[in-house]
Amino acid sequence: MDSTETLPPFSKVSSSALSFLNDNLANAQGLARASNFATELDAHCRDLDRSLTELNRALESKLFAYASFSDRSNSLFSHVNVKLTDLASATRSPSSVADGSRKADHILGEELPALAKEVARLETVRAYAETALKLDGLVGDIEDAVSSTMNKNMRKHSSTKNSEDMRLLAIKRLKQAEDVLTSVTKTRPQWSHLVAAVDHRVDRALAILRPQAIVDHRALLTSLGWPPPLSGLTSSIPDMKTSSEVPNPLFTIQGDLKHQYCENFIALCCLQELQRRRKSRQLEGHNREVALHQPLWAIEELVNPISVACQRHFSKWIDKPEFIFTLVYKITRDYVDSMDELLQPLVDEAMLVGYSCREEWISAMVTTLFTYLAKEVFPVYVGQLDEESITGIQSQARVSWLHLVDLMISFDKRIKSLVAQSGILLSLQEDGNSQKISSLSVFCDRPDWLDLWGEIELADALDKLKHETDNERNWRMKVQGAALLFGTEDYKSPAVSSAFLRRLSSVVDRCRSLPTISSRSRFLRLAGAPIIHKFLDCLLMKCQEAEGLTALTDDDALIKVANSVNAAHYFESVLKEWCEDVFFLEMGSCQDDQIGASLVDNNVTDGPTEGSVSAIFDEEIKKFEEFRMEWVEKLSVVVLRGCDARCREYMKNRRQWQEKNEEGWTVSKTLVGALDYMQGKMSVIQESLNDVDFVGVWRSLAAAMDRLLYNGILMSNAKFNNDGVERLGCDMEVLFGVFGAWCLRPEGFFPKLNEGLKLMKMEEKQLQGSVVGGETWIKENRMRHLRVFEVEKIVRNRVFTS
């Protein structure tokens, strides 16, 4: 009864307490356990008191920290107010102008900047604290969401929807955190430690989130029935007309499963876009494009299981690679439409910029193909070639290699047509993108295989050209239609030049299929340039054989040399026309860059001149030009040699220039034979040689004849009277008439003879002024090719009779 006396009056007990007592002590059983119930209440109250005490302590600590921070802030702001008040009073006080001025200068010069600096520091501390707290909260939410996602995935009966919601929440917080980090990087670059700390925690979260998202995506694809069965495709490869249609699982999914797949696909794309943004920020100032563009993760997950399924079939077709290419192309073509219609809108919704599902699907399938070729097919062929080189026994290895390359080129053309159907072909012109959709990319990764292909291609071309070069008929027949191809020019080229051009054109066409400029340039230097050198060697050999047999005195020898010059000129003109194309200019610039880099590495400064634009065959074109110039000069020298031998008596007979001319005389008989020989040889050369190079022959011959006759007659100390001058003038008119068949004013190509005759035809009084006038007299009489001592010598040899 003593205990009841301690109870408070009934009126003072709260309604909630009365309700609690009525619920627990309403019957005899409740009263029986009242003592135990009281003990439990006491323990619970003690726990509550202890929690309240701890909360009071924490609150007291927080309030004390806040009061301390507030006191410091108040002190600083009070200090600022005092300084501002002093500044205002100093500027308003009319007394002590000098002291006030000094004080104002002190305040404005020292105290005010220090005050502004302190205020800015406080603002920076405040901004740093706010940013750090915001980032800490976001990263905490990310870690909680990732942890929750992992825990739910570990449970057997977890809700897929809840797990997906937590993943979406984590992605949302990741984007918010990235926005803050991007802003901090741009506006507060000095906070690098804060950014690094947050990046470290975010990277740990992503290291868990992305693999789990991919695992979920793979499980979802398996439930959809992906990859589709390949049995229907492989059974129909030998005869594509009987191919059976395999349903596309991406088009057949419906309802909640389709919604779940789309949500999962978007989440994976969002994660990739977030990763791309983070890399872009972290690689600022570096070559970001190399690392930013990665294959689309969601498309990779579609291709990987297909790749595994395909390789089981590929292993059976090592000896029949055409089946491999057919299967890969058919899978790529059959499912490419679903990428455009179903998945591309999801990528756009995820705001993943710069990605085309069609392009990513095609490039992933092509990557599967050339990866298999690089690992399984090419090593087998290389081993066969090595064995062939060791044993010396001819095998089918080279034929198999070229057949495989043909299949790759054909496959790449069909793949490009698939890409072109989406209208994005222009975006694939760059080396990086075109490499993704080309099976020939295997040669970009393995330059040694590219070199091997070039050697095989060259050997095949030279084997086929050997028969063409050995056939003498090809050296006599002319190329048909050359004048139509190159305007009015007819190069009179033999048919063998056309055969070499066809082979070179074939190598160039195969080179066009390579995806990078550097690989094209390398291949063309390996397989194309040696064909040109071989052709030039054949031409040189033909010319040397003709020269060695008859020293080019025979008409047949002249014709052989003329044919070789024609072939060189025709080939050179074709190469020049090709090299005006951007395709060849790009390879030439790439080659110049490589040469320049090697020169820099070797500390050589005389590299390609800055601003020069060259093509890949510039060196070969220059060699053809040198070959033509050399043998055109030799043709003119041969004719000159014959003329020199036949007009030697004519030049030695000095007495004829003082003899009286016979009646009816027209030309010196000793000169007629030389002119007849010249005209005969030049007719043969004109008939055989192309018009452009023939101009070089007769001009070179005219210049040589001018020197020969001028030195042999006018500079030979022979005396000339009036009849001799008339005789020489008539002879030269006949000589000029021979060259008049090829130009309108032939005397212009005999400058020394022409001016020497002009000098000798002058009157005696006029010539007397030449001795006194010297160079002035020569200029006044418009003689540009004779020097003073030559004029004096000719004038001394001129004899005037009364």
Side-chain angles (χ1 to χ4, degrees), residues 269 414 450 470 665 737:
C269 290
R414 290 189 293 169
L450 181 66
D470 292 342
W665 170 89

Side-chain angles (χ1 to χ4, degrees), residues 119-225:
V119 171
R121 188 184 69 80
L122 287 174
E123 178 61 23
T124 302
V125 171
R126 182 191 63 79
Y128 185 90
E130 290 180 352
T131 304
L133 287 173
K134 185 176 183 180
L135 286 172
D136 185 64
L138 290 173
V139 174
D141 291 344
I142 294 168
E143 292 171 342
D144 291 343
V146 170
S147 177
S148 177
T149 302
M150 288 295 298
N151 291 335
K152 283 182 168 57
N153 282 317
M154 292 173 65
R155 297 173 190 164
K156 293 183 179 180
H157 304 288
S158 63
S159 171
T160 303
K161 186 177 187 315
N162 290 337
S163 177
E164 194 66 32
D165 290 342
M166 295 305 296
R167 181 179 295 121
L168 292 176
L169 176 62
I171 293 173
K172 181 180 179 181
R173 293 293 183 264
L174 281 166
K175 288 183 177 180
Q176 293 173 348
E178 184 59 31
D179 290 339
V180 175
L181 289 175
T182 301
S183 176
V184 169
T185 303
K186 292 180 179 179
T187 59
R188 307 281 188 174
Q190 67 273 22
W191 295 355
S192 56
H193 292 293
L194 174 63
V195 174
V198 175
D199 274 340
H200 178 67
R201 293 177 63 182
V202 170
D203 286 339
R204 286 191 302 177
L206 285 173
I208 300 173
L209 190 61
R210 179 193 168 187
Q212 187 58 48
I214 290 177
V215 168
D216 292 346
H217 192 76
R218 290 175 181 173
L220 187 57
L221 285 175
T222 303
S223 66
L224 296 177

Side-chain angles (χ1 to χ4, degrees), residues 236-244:
S236 64
I237 282 177
D239 185 8
M240 294 298 294
K241 295 181 181 179
T242 62
S243 174
S244 59

